[in-house]
Amino acid sequence: MKTSNYLLATVRQVPADVEIVSHRLMLRAGMIRQLASGIYNWLPTGLRVLNKVENIVREEMNRSGAQEVLMPSVQPAEIWRESGRWDFFGPELLRFKDRHDRDFCLGPTHEEVITTLINNEVHSYRQIPANFYQMQWKFRDEVRPRFGVMRCREFLMKDAYSFDVDRMGMEKSYHVMYDAYRRIFDRLGLDYVAVEADSGAIGGSVSHEFHVLADSGEDGIGVNSNAGFASNIELVQLPRSSAQRNPPSQPIRTVDTPNVRTIEQLCDSLDVAADITLKTLLVQGEKQPVAMVVRGDHELNLLKVEKIQGVAVPIQFLSPQEVAAEVDAEVGSIGPVNLTSSSDGSEIRIVADYSTEPMSDFVCGANTSEKHYVGVNWERDLGNVEFADLRKAVDGDPCPGTPEENLTVKRGIEVGHVFQLGTKYSEAFGATCIDTDGKNAIMWMGCYGIGVSRIVAAAIEQNHDAAGIIWPDSIAPFSVCVVPINYHQSDTVAKLSDQIHDRLITAGLEVLLDDRDDRAGVKFKDMDLLGIPHRLVVSDRTAANGEIEYKHRIDEQAIYLPIESLEAEMLTRVQSG
Ligand code: ATP
Ligand code: MG
C-alpha cells in the first residue's frame, strides 16, 4: 500500500473533551471518527487493526471447537418478554417499532436469540456439547458513552454460547473457553489478568472477567500474587475489624460548616483527615429510607448494599430534594446522630460499615444544613446501629482467604467475560434435549463475550509513548513502513522503494510505503504516530552501499541491513500473530 492511495487521515488536534490517551491517539492516527455520541466510523487504519483482533479471536474460537454463526442485530420484543429482560434491561436497551407497530430492539447481547434458535435445532444429547459464536455489532444505549470506542454505544463483540446436557458438561465447556481466552489475550500481546467477577444483568453464578491492566481502567482489581488472588474489587468481602475502639476523649459539639457539600470540603474546613469522618447516604428501603454509613475516605459498594435486607433493589439513592423532604437538611450535612424522619419523627435505620466500628471522636453531619458534629462516639451519642460489610476494598485491605496478606488495587479494562449461565435461559425458553435415558432434559448453558473493538483501545493504553502508538506485531495495521528520502527527486530512491515495497509484500508482509512529497521529518512523525512496528528508510546514501536503514518503533538507534537479503531479515524480525 502506498500512502498516495491511502486515507492516512492523521491529525494534530483532537476535541477538548477527549479524556484518555487511546481515544486521542485513535483520532490522531486516523483510525476512527465519531458520527454521533458513542457511535463511530472506522477508517482504513482502524479497521485493519480491528480485523486483526477479530481474526485472532476467530482462529482461537475455531481451534476450541466452537462454530461460527451470525444472528440478527434487530431482535423482536417477544423473546425479551419471554426471558423477562424487556423490563429488567432498562434504558440501555434501544427499542423501536416497525411499520406494523410491533416492538423491536437493537441487540445488546444474544442469549434470547441463541436459545430460541438452538431449541429448534438441537433435539438430542448426540448433537451437544456445542458452542456457537458470532462477531456482531451490539448496541447498548450507555448512560455515559466516553473514552472513544472503549465505552461506546455501538461496538463489536464476539459472543459465544455453549449448550450441554448437565452441569458437569457446562463446567467443561466453560474451562475450554477460559483456556481459549488465555490463548487469545496472549496472542494479542496484552498484559492481562483473569479475575473472579459478578454476573450482573446476564445472570448465572460462576464468572470470570479478563482485564487489561491500565491506569485508565474503569474497574478496580484486587490482587495478591503471593496468595494467587485476583478479583474485581466489587466482589472482595471484608471482615469485621478486630481493632479495639478507644474510649471517648471529647465531648460532642456542633460546628458551623458553611458551603461544605463534600468530604473534601469538610476536611479542609475543619482541618481533619477523611478517615475520622463519616459519610452518610440515604437509599430507598422497602418501607422507609435506610442510611448507609461509610468512612469519609471509603466508597460504598453497591453490590453489598443490595444484599442488605430491607433495601430496595435496584438501589435508588434519595435525590437531594427527597433528602431535604425526609430529614430537613442538605445532603452534605446528613449524619447518623438523631437521624429521624421529619414527617413522623421516627428513627431512620442506620447500617454502618465494619471499618467505622472501631472509630471514636469522629466527625459527621448534624442533620441541620451547614452544620456538623465533632467528637462523636458510638453508644454514647447514638442509638441503634447495625454494622455490616458495605464498602469497596482499598489498597492494604486483607486478602480474602489469606488475611495475613494485603491486597493491592490495580485498574483494569474489562475485555472479556465468561459466565456459567446454568439453566436460566433454557428454562425460560423450555430449551430441552433428549438425554441418554431418553428423557427430556433442560440444557445447561454458558456464555462468553469479548469486546473486540474495546481491545483495540485497550491495546493502545498499554502500548504507546509520547510520539504515538506502538503496536504489537500481531495487531499492527501494517508491520513494515518504508520511508523514502527524496522519493520525488531521486529516481534511485523511488525505484528502490517501490521494489522493496513489492518484494516484502510478495514475502507475505503488510507494507506501507510513504510516497508523499513531504519532508522526511513529517513522514517519521506520522509513522511513529501510527505505531507501525518496523521502519525502513531508503536514501541515496545507504543505497549506494547496498544497504537500508532499519529501526524498530521502540529502538533508539537504527541499524543497516543488506538490501539483497531484506525479505529474510524482515521475516525474522516481524513476529506473526
Ligand atoms: P462493562 O462492565 O464494561 O459495562 P459489561 O459487563 O456490560 O461491561 P458484557 O455484557 O460482559 O459487558 O459484554 C462483553 C464484553 O463487551 C465486555 O467484556 C467488554 O469488553 C465489551 N463491552 C461491553 N460494553 C461495552 C461498551 N459500551 N463499549 C465497548 N465494549 C463494551
Ligand atoms: Mg455494561
Side-chain angles (χ1 to χ4, degrees):
M1 182 66 69
K2 295 184 177 182
T3 49
S4 53
N5 300 322
Y6 186 76
L7 185 61
L8 207 49
T10 53
V11 290
R12 291 224 173 134
Q13 295 296 328
V14 295
D17 60 352
V18 168
E19 295 171 80
I20 60 168
V21 69
S22 57
H23 188 191
R24 185 163 68 244
L25 288 174
M26 287 184 79
L27 291 169
R28 288 197 53 212
M31 295 178 67
I32 51 166
R33 292 291 183 260
Q34 184 175 295
L35 175 65
S37 168
I39 301 178
Y40 286 87
N41 292 295
W42 289 77
L43 293 173
T45 304
L47 188 59
R48 291 181 79 95
V49 178
L50 186 66
N51 286 341
K52 293 246 164 105
V53 175
E54 184 181 322
N55 282 342
I56 289 177
V57 175
R58 177 176 284 115
E59 279 174 23
E60 292 305 331
M61 290 304 293
N62 290 344
R63 192 193 308 270
S64 79
Q67 307 167 58
E68 187 166 4
V69 295
L70 183 58
M71 293 175 268
S73 55
V74 173
Q75 306 183 8
E78 286 82 60
I79 54 175
W80 285 79
R81 294 208 173 95
E82 221 170 317
S83 70
R85 289 208 292 185
W86 185 253
D87 294 323
F88 187 76
F89 221 87
E92 252 185 48
L93 190 64
L94 184 67
R95 302 150 208 251
F96 50 91
K97 287 186 190 287
D98 71 359
R99 63 169 75 198
H100 307 293
D101 212 31
R102 292 189 199 111
D103 289 318
F104 283 85
C105 65
L106 269 187
T109 177
H110 280 71
E111 282 80 10
E112 282 76 3
V113 180
I114 193 82
T115 315
T116 38
L117 175 69
I118 295 310
N119 192 19
N120 287 325
E121 304 302 324
V122 167
H123 308 290
S124 150
Y125 70 93
R126 288 199 184 87
Q127 294 169 281
I128 52 176
N131 188 343
F132 302 96
Y133 78 97
Q134 66 172 345
M135 299 284 172
Q136 174 65 289
W137 291 89
K138 306 288 191 227
F139 196 97
R140 294 184 184 177
D141 205 350
E142 295 276 350
V143 59
R144 239 188 112 201
R146 56 183 186 150
F147 301 161
V149 298
M150 193 82 91
R151 179 165 299 286
C152 49
R153 297 199 291 171
E154 193 186 40
F155 59 95
L156 184 59
M157 196 201 284
K158 183 286 299 173
D159 45 330
Y161 307 88
S162 64
F163 293 83
D164 279 276
V165 273
D166 53 20
R167 174 190 289 278
M168 250 171 56
M170 172 189 71
E171 285 170 2
K172 211 167 146 200
S173 296
Y174 182 85
H175 286 296
V176 168
M177 270 300 98
Y178 187 95
D179 292 343
Y181 273 39
R182 296 213 85 108
R183 290 199 303 274
I184 288 168
F185 296 117
D186 285 341
R187 279 184 65 185
L188 289 168
L190 296 169
D191 181 15
Y192 69 93
V193 285
V195 305
E196 284 174 37
D198 177 60
S199 317
I202 304 275
S205 50
V206 177
S207 105
H208 285 88
E209 288 167 355
F210 289 77
H211 283 265
V212 163
L213 298 173
D215 291 340
S216 60
E218 292 182 287
D219 289 278
I221 316 283
V223 288
N224 182 290
S225 40
N226 292 340
F229 181 87
S231 168
N232 194 313
I233 57 160
E234 288 186 332
L235 285 202
V236 173
Q237 304 296 319
L238 296 167
R240 192 163 198 159
S241 171
S242 55
Q244 286 292 312
R245 182 191 295 162
N246 288 329
S249 72
Q250 297 172 18
I252 183 168
R253 288 184 296 125
T254 310
V255 291
D256 285 332
T257 46
N259 298 320
V260 165
R261 304 278 180 276
T262 65
I263 291 289
E264 220 183 347
Q265 292 165 342
L266 178 66
C267 294
D268 280 351
S269 126
L270 300 181
D271 196 21
V272 294
D275 64 3
I276 68 150
T277 70
L278 294 187
K279 191 155 61 180
T280 305
L281 296 123
L282 294 179
V283 298
Q284 295 294 2
E286 276 157 11
K287 293 188 199 89
Q288 274 187 321
V290 184
M292 296 290 149
V293 178
V294 291
R295 232 166 62 182
D297 58 332
H298 286 153
E299 263 183 80
L300 264 189
N301 178 333
L302 300 188
L303 288 180
K304 293 179 179 177
V305 176
E306 263 182 9
K307 298 206 173 96
I308 301 290
Q309 268 208 339
V311 167
V313 178
I315 293 170
Q316 301 154 54
F317 288 99
L318 269 65
S319 68
Q321 295 75 18
E322 287 169 330
V323 171
E326 184 65 34
V327 288
D328 221 359
E330 276 174 21
V331 177
S333 303
I334 304 297
V337 182
N338 296 327
L339 183 60
T340 51
S341 171
S342 55
S343 55
D344 58 4
S346 63
E347 272 182 26
I348 292 178
R349 180 179 161 210
I350 296 163
V351 186
D353 183 63
Y354 283 145
S355 63
T356 65
E357 205 175 357
M359 289 169 74
S360 49
D361 299 326
F362 50 85
V363 178
C364 63
N367 302 319
T368 305
S369 291
E370 310 206 318
K371 290 196 190 301
H372 280 77
Y373 288 126
V374 298
V376 188
N377 285 274
W378 300 119
E379 289 175 15
R380 188 192 71 185
D381 306 322
L382 289 95
N384 252 343
V385 176
E386 299 160 46
F387 291 99
D389 178 18
L390 288 184
R391 69 179 172 95
K392 285 189 187 161
V394 294
D395 256 341
D397 273 329
C399 177
T402 324
E404 62 280 11
E405 293 281 349
N406 292 339
L407 285 181
T408 306
V409 177
K410 299 191 175 181
R411 307 305 303 170
I413 301 166
E414 184 194 318
V415 288
H417 202 164
V418 291
F419 301 89
Q420 292 185 13
L421 282 176
T423 56
K424 177 175 164 161
Y425 295 93
S426 35
E427 262 172 47
F429 290 96
T432 56
C433 70
I434 306 290
D435 67 12
T436 39
D437 302 328
K439 286 202 217 74
N440 246 344
I442 287 280
M443 289 192 273
W444 287 70
M445 292 173 59
C447 78
Y448 318 94
I450 288 187
V452 178
S453 47
R454 179 181 281 183
I455 284 173
V456 176
I460 297 175
E461 288 294 322
Q462 272 189 350
N463 300 285
H464 68 269
D465 63 11
I469 305 166
I470 307 171
W471 290 113
D473 281 321
S474 59
I475 54 174
F478 297 92
S479 39
V480 182
C481 63
V482 179
V483 181
I485 299 191
N486 294 334
Y487 185 88
H488 294 267
Q489 291 76 27
S490 159
D491 244 12
T492 317
V493 169
K495 272 207 191 101
L496 183 58
S497 303
D498 286 354
Q499 196 197 81
I500 285 169
H501 168 265
D502 295 349
R503 274 170 53 191
L504 292 181
I505 288 178
T506 308
L509 295 171
E510 287 172 295
V511 185
L512 183 64
L513 165 58
D514 196 348
D515 60 346
R516 291 174 296 170
D517 192 5
D518 264 320
R519 283 181 295 113
V522 171
K523 299 185 189 182
F524 290 155
K525 273 214 169 101
D526 268 353
M527 295 304 123
D528 279 355
L529 175 60
L530 246 66
I532 301 179
H534 306 272
R535 185 181 86 187
L536 293 168
V537 180
V538 182
S539 71
D540 278 316
R541 185 175 57 84
T542 54
N545 301 335
E547 286 182 331
I548 187 164
E549 183 190 304
Y550 166 82
K551 191 178 92 63
H552 189 276
R553 176 67 178 75
I554 60 170
D555 291 341
E556 291 284 321
Q557 287 284 321
I559 56 165
Y560 295 90
L561 302 176
I563 294 173
E564 210 179 74
S565 55
L566 195 60
E567 286 92 335
E569 285 282 355
M570 292 311 291
L571 284 171
T572 57
R573 286 186 157 77
V574 178
Q575 275 142 28
S576 57

